[in-house]
Amino acid sequence: MRYPMTTPARWRKSSYSGGGEGNDCVEILNLGGCIAIRDSKVSSRTPLSVATPAFAFFVGALKASQGRLV
């Protein structure tokens, strides 16, 4: 699924983006039924999009692992 990125959107940066400019991070955009994901360094590229429930499951699994690789 492709979404044009020509309209203003409220992308949210990861809380782990660090200090300074915060340009080395992942950004997400909630589009209702799906979540768009992009790299802040190359925001002009087409973002990856996943279904909202799949993204919620992914984030939940990350939180449950407490940062450990599983």
Side-chain angles (χ1 to χ4, degrees):
M1 185 178 310
R2 295 184 74 141
Y3 292 94
M5 294 294 117
T6 56
T7 58
R10 292 192 175 255
W11 287 90
R12 292 178 33 203
K13 288 190 178 191
S14 167
S15 60
Y16 291 95
S17 63
E21 297 293 316
N23 292 330
D24 297 327
C25 65
V26 172
E27 297 176 311
I28 64 167
L29 177 64
N30 187 340
L31 297 169
C34 70
I35 302 292
I37 306 164
R38 71 180 183 184
D39 182 341
S40 63
K41 293 183 299 301
V42 285
S43 60
S44 61
R45 287 188 168 172
T46 302
L48 170 70
S49 61
V50 296
T52 301
F55 186 75
F57 180 82
F58 172 71
V59 170
L62 287 177
K63 287 179 180 180
S65 72
Q66 299 177 3
R68 296 183 307 268
L69 293 177
V70 288

PDB file of all heavy atoms in Angstrom, residues 3-5 7-14 26-31 35-39 43 45-48:
ATOM      1  N   TYR A   3       1.280   5.446   0.168  1.00  0.00           N
ATOM      2  CA  TYR A   3       0.642   6.677   0.589  1.00  0.00           C
ATOM      3  C   TYR A   3       1.511   7.839   0.159  1.00  0.00           C
ATOM      4  O   TYR A   3       2.703   7.845   0.433  1.00  0.00           O
ATOM      5  CB  TYR A   3       0.471   6.717   2.108  1.00  0.00           C
ATOM      6  CG  TYR A   3      -0.514   5.700   2.606  1.00  0.00           C
ATOM      7  CD1 TYR A   3      -0.087   4.457   3.027  1.00  0.00           C
ATOM      8  CD2 TYR A   3      -1.865   5.979   2.633  1.00  0.00           C
ATOM      9  CE1 TYR A   3      -0.991   3.517   3.477  1.00  0.00           C
ATOM     10  CE2 TYR A   3      -2.780   5.044   3.077  1.00  0.00           C
ATOM     11  CZ  TYR A   3      -2.334   3.822   3.500  1.00  0.00           C
ATOM     12  OH  TYR A   3      -3.219   2.894   3.937  1.00  0.00           O
ATOM     13  N   PRO A   4       0.927   8.822  -0.515  1.00  0.00           N
ATOM     14  CA  PRO A   4       1.742   9.971  -0.919  1.00  0.00           C
ATOM     15  C   PRO A   4       2.206  10.746   0.305  1.00  0.00           C
ATOM     16  O   PRO A   4       1.458  10.941   1.244  1.00  0.00           O
ATOM     17  CB  PRO A   4       0.787  10.806  -1.775  1.00  0.00           C
ATOM     18  CG  PRO A   4      -0.577  10.387  -1.360  1.00  0.00           C
ATOM     19  CD  PRO A   4      -0.459   8.959  -0.892  1.00  0.00           C
ATOM     20  N   MET A   5       3.461  11.150   0.295  1.00  0.00           N
ATOM     21  CA  MET A   5       4.011  11.885   1.432  1.00  0.00           C
ATOM     22  C   MET A   5       4.114  13.376   1.108  1.00  0.00           C
ATOM     23  O   MET A   5       4.913  14.092   1.670  1.00  0.00           O
ATOM     24  CB  MET A   5       5.393  11.335   1.795  1.00  0.00           C
ATOM     25  CG  MET A   5       5.342   9.912   2.312  1.00  0.00           C
ATOM     26  SD  MET A   5       4.465   9.807   3.883  1.00  0.00           S
ATOM     27  CE  MET A   5       3.089   8.782   3.443  1.00  0.00           C
ATOM     28  N   THR A   7       1.554  15.522   1.426  1.00  0.00           N
ATOM     29  CA  THR A   7       0.721  16.294   2.334  1.00  0.00           C
ATOM     30  C   THR A   7       1.356  16.301   3.717  1.00  0.00           C
ATOM     31  O   THR A   7       2.027  15.349   4.098  1.00  0.00           O
ATOM     32  CB  THR A   7      -0.700  15.692   2.428  1.00  0.00           C
ATOM     33  OG1 THR A   7      -0.582  14.342   2.866  1.00  0.00           O
ATOM     34  CG2 THR A   7      -1.404  15.734   1.091  1.00  0.00           C
ATOM     35  N   PRO A   8       1.173  17.388   4.477  1.00  0.00           N
ATOM     36  CA  PRO A   8       1.755  17.436   5.823  1.00  0.00           C
ATOM     37  C   PRO A   8       1.200  16.299   6.678  1.00  0.00           C
ATOM     38  O   PRO A   8       0.027  15.985   6.623  1.00  0.00           O
ATOM     39  CB  PRO A   8       1.294  18.788   6.366  1.00  0.00           C
ATOM     40  CG  PRO A   8       0.898  19.584   5.178  1.00  0.00           C
ATOM     41  CD  PRO A   8       0.459  18.604   4.130  1.00  0.00           C
ATOM     42  N   ALA A   9       2.065  15.693   7.432  1.00  0.00           N
ATOM     43  CA  ALA A   9       1.663  14.583   8.294  1.00  0.00           C
ATOM     44  C   ALA A   9       2.358  14.736   9.635  1.00  0.00           C
ATOM     45  O   ALA A   9       3.384  15.393   9.751  1.00  0.00           O
ATOM     46  CB  ALA A   9       2.041  13.256   7.643  1.00  0.00           C
ATOM     47  N   ARG A  10       1.796  14.111  10.629  1.00  0.00           N
ATOM     48  CA  ARG A  10       2.378  14.164  11.977  1.00  0.00           C
ATOM     49  C   ARG A  10       3.155  12.882  12.254  1.00  0.00           C
ATOM     50  O   ARG A  10       2.650  11.966  12.903  1.00  0.00           O
ATOM     51  CB  ARG A  10       1.291  14.369  13.012  1.00  0.00           C
ATOM     52  CG  ARG A  10       0.672  15.727  12.915  1.00  0.00           C
ATOM     53  CD  ARG A  10      -0.180  15.982  14.145  1.00  0.00           C
ATOM     54  NE  ARG A  10      -0.679  17.331  14.103  1.00  0.00           N
ATOM     55  CZ  ARG A  10      -0.207  18.311  14.855  1.00  0.00           C
ATOM     56  NH1 ARG A  10       0.761  18.082  15.692  1.00  0.00           N
ATOM     57  NH2 ARG A  10      -0.715  19.512  14.771  1.00  0.00           N
ATOM     58  N   TRP A  11       4.356  12.831  11.704  1.00  0.00           N
ATOM     59  CA  TRP A  11       5.241  11.705  11.964  1.00  0.00           C
ATOM     60  C   TRP A  11       5.749  11.813  13.391  1.00  0.00           C
ATOM     61  O   TRP A  11       6.053  12.894  13.874  1.00  0.00           O
ATOM     62  CB  TRP A  11       6.424  11.729  10.997  1.00  0.00           C
ATOM     63  CG  TRP A  11       6.050  11.342   9.606  1.00  0.00           C
ATOM     64  CD1 TRP A  11       5.642  12.168   8.611  1.00  0.00           C
ATOM     65  CD2 TRP A  11       6.046  10.027   9.059  1.00  0.00           C
ATOM     66  NE1 TRP A  11       5.380  11.449   7.478  1.00  0.00           N
ATOM     67  CE2 TRP A  11       5.623  10.132   7.728  1.00  0.00           C
ATOM     68  CE3 TRP A  11       6.357   8.770   9.580  1.00  0.00           C
ATOM     69  CZ2 TRP A  11       5.509   9.027   6.907  1.00  0.00           C
ATOM     70  CZ3 TRP A  11       6.247   7.671   8.745  1.00  0.00           C
ATOM     71  CH2 TRP A  11       5.823   7.801   7.428  1.00  0.00           C
ATOM     72  N   ARG A  12       5.853  10.683  14.083  1.00  0.00           N
ATOM     73  CA  ARG A  12       6.364  10.642  15.453  1.00  0.00           C
ATOM     74  C   ARG A  12       7.705   9.932  15.464  1.00  0.00           C
ATOM     75  O   ARG A  12       7.830   8.831  14.916  1.00  0.00           O
ATOM     76  CB  ARG A  12       5.391   9.885  16.367  1.00  0.00           C
ATOM     77  CG  ARG A  12       4.100  10.614  16.556  1.00  0.00           C
ATOM     78  CD  ARG A  12       3.115   9.865  17.417  1.00  0.00           C
ATOM     79  NE  ARG A  12       3.759   9.062  18.458  1.00  0.00           N
ATOM     80  CZ  ARG A  12       3.196   8.019  19.032  1.00  0.00           C
ATOM     81  NH1 ARG A  12       1.999   7.617  18.666  1.00  0.00           N
ATOM     82  NH2 ARG A  12       3.822   7.345  19.976  1.00  0.00           N
ATOM     83  N   LYS A  13       8.691  10.560  16.101  1.00  0.00           N
ATOM     84  CA  LYS A  13      10.021   9.959  16.200  1.00  0.00           C
ATOM     85  C   LYS A  13      10.097   9.036  17.400  1.00  0.00           C
ATOM     86  O   LYS A  13       9.432   9.247  18.406  1.00  0.00           O
ATOM     87  CB  LYS A  13      11.091  11.038  16.338  1.00  0.00           C
ATOM     88  CG  LYS A  13      11.316  11.799  15.062  1.00  0.00           C
ATOM     89  CD  LYS A  13      12.530  12.680  15.175  1.00  0.00           C
ATOM     90  CE  LYS A  13      12.738  13.398  13.848  1.00  0.00           C
ATOM     91  NZ  LYS A  13      14.015  14.053  13.777  1.00  0.00           N
ATOM     92  N   SER A  14      10.951   8.054  17.277  1.00  0.00           N
ATOM     93  CA  SER A  14      11.194   7.119  18.369  1.00  0.00           C
ATOM     94  C   SER A  14      11.737   7.861  19.583  1.00  0.00           C
ATOM     95  O   SER A  14      12.524   8.801  19.449  1.00  0.00           O
ATOM     96  CB  SER A  14      12.206   6.065  17.921  1.00  0.00           C
ATOM     97  OG  SER A  14      12.678   5.334  19.028  1.00  0.00           O
ATOM     98  N   VAL A  26      13.809   6.028  13.802  1.00  0.00           N
ATOM     99  CA  VAL A  26      12.642   5.555  13.078  1.00  0.00           C
ATOM    100  C   VAL A  26      11.484   6.492  13.389  1.00  0.00           C
ATOM    101  O   VAL A  26      11.339   6.955  14.504  1.00  0.00           O
ATOM    102  CB  VAL A  26      12.304   4.111  13.514  1.00  0.00           C
ATOM    103  CG1 VAL A  26      10.991   3.651  12.949  1.00  0.00           C
ATOM    104  CG2 VAL A  26      13.423   3.172  13.117  1.00  0.00           C
ATOM    105  N   GLU A  27      10.666   6.769  12.386  1.00  0.00           N
ATOM    106  CA  GLU A  27       9.468   7.576  12.578  1.00  0.00           C
ATOM    107  C   GLU A  27       8.256   6.756  12.173  1.00  0.00           C
ATOM    108  O   GLU A  27       8.345   5.917  11.268  1.00  0.00           O
ATOM    109  CB  GLU A  27       9.521   8.839  11.719  1.00  0.00           C
ATOM    110  CG  GLU A  27      10.650   9.773  12.081  1.00  0.00           C
ATOM    111  CD  GLU A  27      10.732  10.958  11.144  1.00  0.00           C
ATOM    112  OE1 GLU A  27      10.720  10.769   9.911  1.00  0.00           O
ATOM    113  OE2 GLU A  27      10.811  12.077  11.655  1.00  0.00           O
ATOM    114  N   ILE A  28       7.127   6.998  12.844  1.00  0.00           N
ATOM    115  CA  ILE A  28       5.895   6.296  12.493  1.00  0.00           C
ATOM    116  C   ILE A  28       4.780   7.301  12.267  1.00  0.00           C
ATOM    117  O   ILE A  28       4.807   8.415  12.788  1.00  0.00           O
ATOM    118  CB  ILE A  28       5.468   5.272  13.557  1.00  0.00           C
ATOM    119  CG1 ILE A  28       5.130   5.960  14.887  1.00  0.00           C
ATOM    120  CG2 ILE A  28       6.535   4.197  13.745  1.00  0.00           C
ATOM    121  CD1 ILE A  28       4.415   5.059  15.870  1.00  0.00           C
ATOM    122  N   LEU A  29       3.803   6.886  11.488  1.00  0.00           N
ATOM    123  CA  LEU A  29       2.620   7.691  11.196  1.00  0.00           C
ATOM    124  C   LEU A  29       1.409   6.776  11.259  1.00  0.00           C
ATOM    125  O   LEU A  29       1.348   5.766  10.546  1.00  0.00           O
ATOM    126  CB  LEU A  29       2.729   8.329   9.809  1.00  0.00           C
ATOM    127  CG  LEU A  29       1.537   9.141   9.318  1.00  0.00           C
ATOM    128  CD1 LEU A  29       1.304  10.362  10.206  1.00  0.00           C
ATOM    129  CD2 LEU A  29       1.754   9.559   7.877  1.00  0.00           C
ATOM    130  N   ASN A  30       0.463   7.099  12.124  1.00  0.00           N
ATOM    131  CA  ASN A  30      -0.755   6.303  12.254  1.00  0.00           C
ATOM    132  C   ASN A  30      -1.726   6.729  11.157  1.00  0.00           C
ATOM    133  O   ASN A  30      -2.160   7.879  11.118  1.00  0.00           O
ATOM    134  CB  ASN A  30      -1.375   6.503  13.635  1.00  0.00           C
ATOM    135  CG  ASN A  30      -2.533   5.581  13.879  1.00  0.00           C
ATOM    136  OD1 ASN A  30      -3.135   5.045  12.957  1.00  0.00           O
ATOM    137  ND2 ASN A  30      -2.868   5.386  15.132  1.00  0.00           N
ATOM    138  N   LEU A  31      -2.059   5.804  10.284  1.00  0.00           N
ATOM    139  CA  LEU A  31      -2.965   6.080   9.169  1.00  0.00           C
ATOM    140  C   LEU A  31      -4.318   5.408   9.369  1.00  0.00           C
ATOM    141  O   LEU A  31      -5.048   5.177   8.412  1.00  0.00           O
ATOM    142  CB  LEU A  31      -2.330   5.626   7.853  1.00  0.00           C
ATOM    143  CG  LEU A  31      -1.048   6.355   7.484  1.00  0.00           C
ATOM    144  CD1 LEU A  31      -0.347   5.652   6.328  1.00  0.00           C
ATOM    145  CD2 LEU A  31      -1.344   7.797   7.126  1.00  0.00           C
ATOM    146  N   ILE A  35       0.052   1.405   9.952  1.00  0.00           N
ATOM    147  CA  ILE A  35       1.102   2.264  10.474  1.00  0.00           C
ATOM    148  C   ILE A  35       2.172   2.370   9.397  1.00  0.00           C
ATOM    149  O   ILE A  35       2.649   1.354   8.880  1.00  0.00           O
ATOM    150  CB  ILE A  35       1.720   1.684  11.765  1.00  0.00           C
ATOM    151  CG1 ILE A  35       0.670   1.481  12.844  1.00  0.00           C
ATOM    152  CG2 ILE A  35       2.872   2.551  12.253  1.00  0.00           C
ATOM    153  CD1 ILE A  35       0.071   2.742  13.406  1.00  0.00           C
ATOM    154  N   ALA A  36       2.545   3.596   9.048  1.00  0.00           N
ATOM    155  CA  ALA A  36       3.645   3.823   8.111  1.00  0.00           C
ATOM    156  C   ALA A  36       4.918   4.011   8.922  1.00  0.00           C
ATOM    157  O   ALA A  36       4.908   4.658   9.974  1.00  0.00           O
ATOM    158  CB  ALA A  36       3.372   5.048   7.254  1.00  0.00           C
ATOM    159  N   ILE A  37       6.024   3.425   8.455  1.00  0.00           N
ATOM    160  CA  ILE A  37       7.303   3.461   9.156  1.00  0.00           C
ATOM    161  C   ILE A  37       8.362   3.933   8.172  1.00  0.00           C
ATOM    162  O   ILE A  37       8.430   3.442   7.045  1.00  0.00           O
ATOM    163  CB  ILE A  37       7.680   2.056   9.686  1.00  0.00           C
ATOM    164  CG1 ILE A  37       6.534   1.490  10.530  1.00  0.00           C
ATOM    165  CG2 ILE A  37       8.987   2.093  10.462  1.00  0.00           C
ATOM    166  CD1 ILE A  37       6.638   0.004  10.764  1.00  0.00           C
ATOM    167  N   ARG A  38       9.195   4.897   8.626  1.00  0.00           N
ATOM    168  CA  ARG A  38      10.271   5.372   7.749  1.00  0.00           C
ATOM    169  C   ARG A  38      11.517   5.689   8.562  1.00  0.00           C
ATOM    170  O   ARG A  38      11.468   5.876   9.768  1.00  0.00           O
ATOM    171  CB  ARG A  38       9.835   6.598   6.962  1.00  0.00           C
ATOM    172  CG  ARG A  38       9.702   7.861   7.794  1.00  0.00           C
ATOM    173  CD  ARG A  38       9.265   9.030   6.954  1.00  0.00           C
ATOM    174  NE  ARG A  38       9.208  10.257   7.747  1.00  0.00           N
ATOM    175  CZ  ARG A  38       8.790  11.408   7.298  1.00  0.00           C
ATOM    176  NH1 ARG A  38       8.359  11.513   6.040  1.00  0.00           N
ATOM    177  NH2 ARG A  38       8.786  12.476   8.072  1.00  0.00           N
ATOM    178  N   ASP A  39      12.634   5.772   7.857  1.00  0.00           N
ATOM    179  CA  ASP A  39      13.913   6.167   8.436  1.00  0.00           C
ATOM    180  C   ASP A  39      14.005   7.685   8.310  1.00  0.00           C
ATOM    181  O   ASP A  39      13.862   8.232   7.217  1.00  0.00           O
ATOM    182  CB  ASP A  39      15.037   5.496   7.655  1.00  0.00           C
ATOM    183  CG  ASP A  39      16.421   5.789   8.187  1.00  0.00           C
ATOM    184  OD1 ASP A  39      16.592   6.785   8.930  1.00  0.00           O
ATOM    185  OD2 ASP A  39      17.346   5.036   7.857  1.00  0.00           O
ATOM    186  N   SER A  43      13.734  10.354   4.580  1.00  0.00           N
ATOM    187  CA  SER A  43      12.279  10.474   4.684  1.00  0.00           C
ATOM    188  C   SER A  43      11.580  10.605   3.335  1.00  0.00           C
ATOM    189  O   SER A  43      10.368  10.442   3.257  1.00  0.00           O
ATOM    190  CB  SER A  43      11.919  11.664   5.567  1.00  0.00           C
ATOM    191  OG  SER A  43      12.431  12.859   5.023  1.00  0.00           O
ATOM    192  N   ARG A  45      11.944   8.539   0.872  1.00  0.00           N
ATOM    193  CA  ARG A  45      11.655   7.196   0.353  1.00  0.00           C
ATOM    194  C   ARG A  45      10.260   6.746   0.762  1.00  0.00           C
ATOM    195  O   ARG A  45       9.707   7.198   1.750  1.00  0.00           O
ATOM    196  CB  ARG A  45      12.667   6.189   0.873  1.00  0.00           C
ATOM    197  CG  ARG A  45      14.006   6.322   0.236  1.00  0.00           C
ATOM    198  CD  ARG A  45      14.869   5.175   0.665  1.00  0.00           C
ATOM    199  NE  ARG A  45      16.076   5.120  -0.145  1.00  0.00           N
ATOM    200  CZ  ARG A  45      17.074   4.322   0.106  1.00  0.00           C
ATOM    201  NH1 ARG A  45      17.023   3.493   1.136  1.00  0.00           N
ATOM    202  NH2 ARG A  45      18.127   4.318  -0.666  1.00  0.00           N
ATOM    203  N   THR A  46       9.724   5.828   0.007  1.00  0.00           N
ATOM    204  CA  THR A  46       8.409   5.265   0.319  1.00  0.00           C
ATOM    205  C   THR A  46       8.496   4.514   1.638  1.00  0.00           C
ATOM    206  O   THR A  46       9.356   3.656   1.812  1.00  0.00           O
ATOM    207  CB  THR A  46       7.954   4.308  -0.792  1.00  0.00           C
ATOM    208  OG1 THR A  46       7.923   5.015  -2.023  1.00  0.00           O
ATOM    209  CG2 THR A  46       6.581   3.744  -0.498  1.00  0.00           C
ATOM    210  N   PRO A  47       7.614   4.835   2.600  1.00  0.00           N
ATOM    211  CA  PRO A  47       7.673   4.148   3.891  1.00  0.00           C
ATOM    212  C   PRO A  47       7.120   2.729   3.815  1.00  0.00           C
ATOM    213  O   PRO A  47       6.360   2.391   2.914  1.00  0.00           O
ATOM    214  CB  PRO A  47       6.799   5.018   4.788  1.00  0.00           C
ATOM    215  CG  PRO A  47       5.856   5.687   3.861  1.00  0.00           C
ATOM    216  CD  PRO A  47       6.588   5.877   2.568  1.00  0.00           C
ATOM    217  N   LEU A  48       7.523   1.931   4.775  1.00  0.00           N
ATOM    218  CA  LEU A  48       6.976   0.601   4.972  1.00  0.00           C
ATOM    219  C   LEU A  48       5.642   0.768   5.686  1.00  0.00           C
ATOM    220  O   LEU A  48       5.522   1.598   6.579  1.00  0.00           O
ATOM    221  CB  LEU A  48       7.933  -0.214   5.837  1.00  0.00           C
ATOM    222  CG  LEU A  48       7.450  -1.560   6.358  1.00  0.00           C
ATOM    223  CD1 LEU A  48       7.338  -2.551   5.198  1.00  0.00           C
ATOM    224  CD2 LEU A  48       8.404  -2.081   7.413  1.00  0.00           C
TER     225      LEU A  48
END
